[in-house]
Amino acid sequence: MTSAVPGTLAAFLCFFPLVVNASAVLAQETAPKEQPQTSKPEKQVTEIKIGYLRAYAPQLALSVLDVPPRDEGVAGAETAIGDNNTTGSFLGQKFILDVTEVKPDADVVPAFRKMVERGDRYVLADISARQLLSIADVARDNGVLIFNVGATDDVLREEECRVNVLHTAPTRTMLADGLAQYLIWKQWRNWVLIYGSHERDQLFAEALRRAATRFGGEIVAEKEFKDTGTARRTDSGVVQIQRQMPVFTQDLPDHDVVLVADESEVFGTYVPFRTWIPRPVAGTAGLSPSAWHPASEQWGGTQIQNRFAKANGRRMLSKDMAAWTAVRIVGEAATRTPGADPAKVEAFIRADDFSIAAFKGQKLTFRKWNWQLRQPIFLGDGRSVVSTSPQEGFLHQVSELDTLGIDEPETKCAFE
């Protein structure tokens, strides 16, 4: 009996590994097999190219503080591209900015045709009125929508309007009306007008005359400051101006405000504090109207200002805001239009209920009679926003914003 126990134990130990191995085999056969991993299909991305055509050359100003930054306008567009892509990334859309520079007096048609060949179906135009008109028909024939972000010429919205050109920059008449409303609200009704000898100066002077007639101001005297080409930024030039400006304004009749029309930067900066009679100065110097002010903080303005400053190392200017608004208009329409088809995007922008938020206290809409964007006008000096027009009490049957600039009954625009 005693010899049988070791034999039984040995038999058991020999059988145990067979059971374990059989169980392992059975477990492998019954366990679910791992499925080969398959990669997820990549999300299709729709690229939406927005062109920026700018006429650029370094500019001088009477004050070094007024020299335009190198990226003026472009920086606003780039900020808006980032804003568009924040939303577009969830919808499979990618917005791309394509910047092209030409000389201020160049023929822009060849450069524009290259942009069209690269696939730019929306183009921000930061060029002169003459240059813009040279590409307007080419753009129409190629299905390109142009956004004017730089030229304030009323003629582009009136006699020379084009149905495929939309304007986010305000007109000279809008700027002049915004300023005039505030002066009338302040009961400063008697004005003298000093204007420069260049075409741009005279166009703004004419806008100020129109505003005076429209809102009840009176221009009691006018005087032209001729550009003689002297170097006024030299020491001798500054001394000359200090002596010249009081004498230049000495024979003007009594007035409440001095209006300055000097878009060409010849003399305007030297008018405040140098006039014969101590009076406030407004226009292109002193209290100036603009589409945006770098100190604006109302209506969420701090949000866009801080975002812009963080990205670009400076404050936002009017042309930056005009470019930002144009890119955001395209972005808003594209994100709400499946597939971002250019024809559908344009139709969305032209719809009666389209509007865009631009940190200006209300939604902005287009005037259908000339495709000018309605917008408030900021009035400020170099440090702060003094007021915003339209002013209280200036009413309109459609929109108070239509008290700024040329209204529908006045328009000379007739789309072909």
Side-chain angles (χ1 to χ4, degrees):
M1 292 294 295
T2 56
S3 61
V5 174
T8 303
L9 180 59
F12 174 77
L13 293 175
C14 292
F15 177 74
F16 181 73
L18 296 176
V19 174
V20 173
N21 291 336
S23 300
V25 172
L26 181 63
Q28 290 177 4
E29 292 178 350
T30 58
K33 295 182 179 180
E34 292 185 4
Q35 299 295 324
Q37 292 184 351
T38 57
S39 58
K40 295 181 179 179
E42 292 186 4
K43 190 176 183 179
Q44 289 188 342
V45 176
T46 301
E47 289 189 350
I48 302 171
K49 290 186 176 182
I50 301 177
Y52 194 115
L53 178 60
R54 71 186 306 223
Y56 175 80
Q59 298 179 33
L60 293 177
L62 293 179
S63 169
V64 294
L65 299 180
D66 295 330
V67 175
R70 180 66 176 82
D71 60 352
E72 183 183 20
V74 175
E78 289 176 339
T79 301
I81 287 289
D83 294 343
N84 285 357
N85 282 329
T86 298
T87 303
S89 61
F90 295 101
L91 303 174
Q93 295 176 338
K94 182 180 180 181
F95 294 84
I96 300 172
L97 188 66
D98 174 28
V99 181
T100 298
E101 283 190 1
V102 296
K103 298 292 184 182
D105 57 349
D107 177 9
V108 300
V109 174
F112 179 74
R113 290 189 183 277
K114 289 181 180 179
M115 297 176 73
V116 174
E117 292 173 1
R118 291 196 295 266
D120 298 337
R121 288 295 172 265
Y122 316 96
V123 173
L124 277 59
D126 182 8
I127 52 182
S128 70
R130 177 187 59 81
Q131 290 171 319
L132 195 153
L133 289 174
S134 72
I135 64 171
D137 293 341
V138 178
R140 179 198 60 203
D141 295 341
N142 287 274
V144 175
L145 196 61
I146 295 177
F147 292 86
N148 170 29
V149 302
T152 58
D153 304 70
D154 283 87
V155 68
L156 291 176
R157 290 81 163 174
E158 297 302 315
E159 294 89 346
E160 297 291 344
C161 64
R162 298 291 189 274
V163 71
N164 61 312
V165 180
L166 281 60
H167 310 271
T168 58
T171 63
R172 286 188 178 91
T173 55
M174 292 171 66
L175 296 169
D177 287 353
L179 176 60
Q181 285 189 13
Y182 179 74
L183 299 181
I184 296 301
W185 183 82
K186 288 288 293 179
Q187 300 296 316
W188 298 340
R189 295 179 177 272
N190 296 321
W191 311 335
V192 295
L193 173 60
I194 304 175
Y195 58 94
S197 56
H198 295 276
E199 182 182 8
R200 291 186 298 162
D201 311 330
Q202 296 178 15
L203 287 172
F204 188 57
E206 184 57 36
L208 291 169
R209 295 185 191 103
R210 174 186 174 277
T213 301
R214 193 179 196 194
F215 298 114
E218 183 180 358
I219 298 178
V220 298
E222 295 187 15
K223 204 163 187 180
E224 182 182 29
F225 192 103
K226 292 188 179 296
D227 182 8
T228 58
T230 55
R232 293 186 178 88
R233 285 179 61 175
T234 64
D235 293 341
S236 60
V238 171
V239 172
Q240 178 186 357
I241 280 293
Q242 183 167 333
R243 293 174 179 174
Q244 182 180 5
M245 193 56 66
V247 175
F248 183 79
T249 58
Q250 184 176 5
D251 60 347
L252 295 173
D254 193 22
H255 51 276
D256 298 319
V257 180
V258 178
L259 295 183
V260 176
D262 178 36
E263 291 190 13
S264 301
E265 277 282 319
V266 173
F267 69 94
T269 301
Y270 296 140
V271 177
F273 307 107
R274 293 183 175 92
T275 56
W276 185 262
I277 301 175
R279 293 291 184 269
V281 175
T284 59
L287 183 68
S288 298
S290 59
W292 183 251
H293 195 283
S296 178
E297 296 180 326
Q298 289 182 293
W299 309 304
T302 302
Q303 178 190 14
I304 184 65
Q305 295 273 29
N306 290 344
R307 194 162 70 248
F308 182 89
K310 182 178 180 181
N312 301 286
R314 63 174 179 83
R315 305 290 286 179
M316 197 173 200
L317 303 176
S318 290
K319 192 176 291 186
D320 295 312
M321 175 51 78
W324 182 91
T325 304
V327 174
R328 283 294 299 123
I329 286 171
V330 176
E332 179 72 11
T335 55
R336 295 178 180 272
T337 306
D341 176 68
K344 293 180 180 179
V345 169
E346 181 174 346
F348 189 91
I349 294 172
R350 295 187 185 277
D352 291 338
D353 59 349
F354 179 80
S355 64
I356 190 72
F359 306 97
K360 296 184 179 181
Q362 55 189 296
K363 292 182 177 180
L364 310 185
T365 59
F366 281 105
R367 293 170 176 163
K368 296 299 180 65
W369 62 87
N370 61 6
W371 291 106
Q372 168 65 51
L373 188 70
R374 297 179 175 95
Q375 56 192 287
I377 297 300
F378 291 83
L379 305 171
D381 55 12
R383 305 294 298 176
S384 64
V385 177
V386 175
S387 186
T388 307
S389 291
Q391 297 293 319
E392 182 181 357
F394 291 86
L395 306 178
H396 192 275
Q397 63 271 27
V398 177
S399 169
E400 291 180 2
L401 291 174
D402 284 341
T403 64
L404 305 175
I406 296 183
D407 200 2
E408 186 171 14
E410 307 170 282
T411 187
K412 298 177 182 177
C413 176
F415 293 122
E416 297 179 359

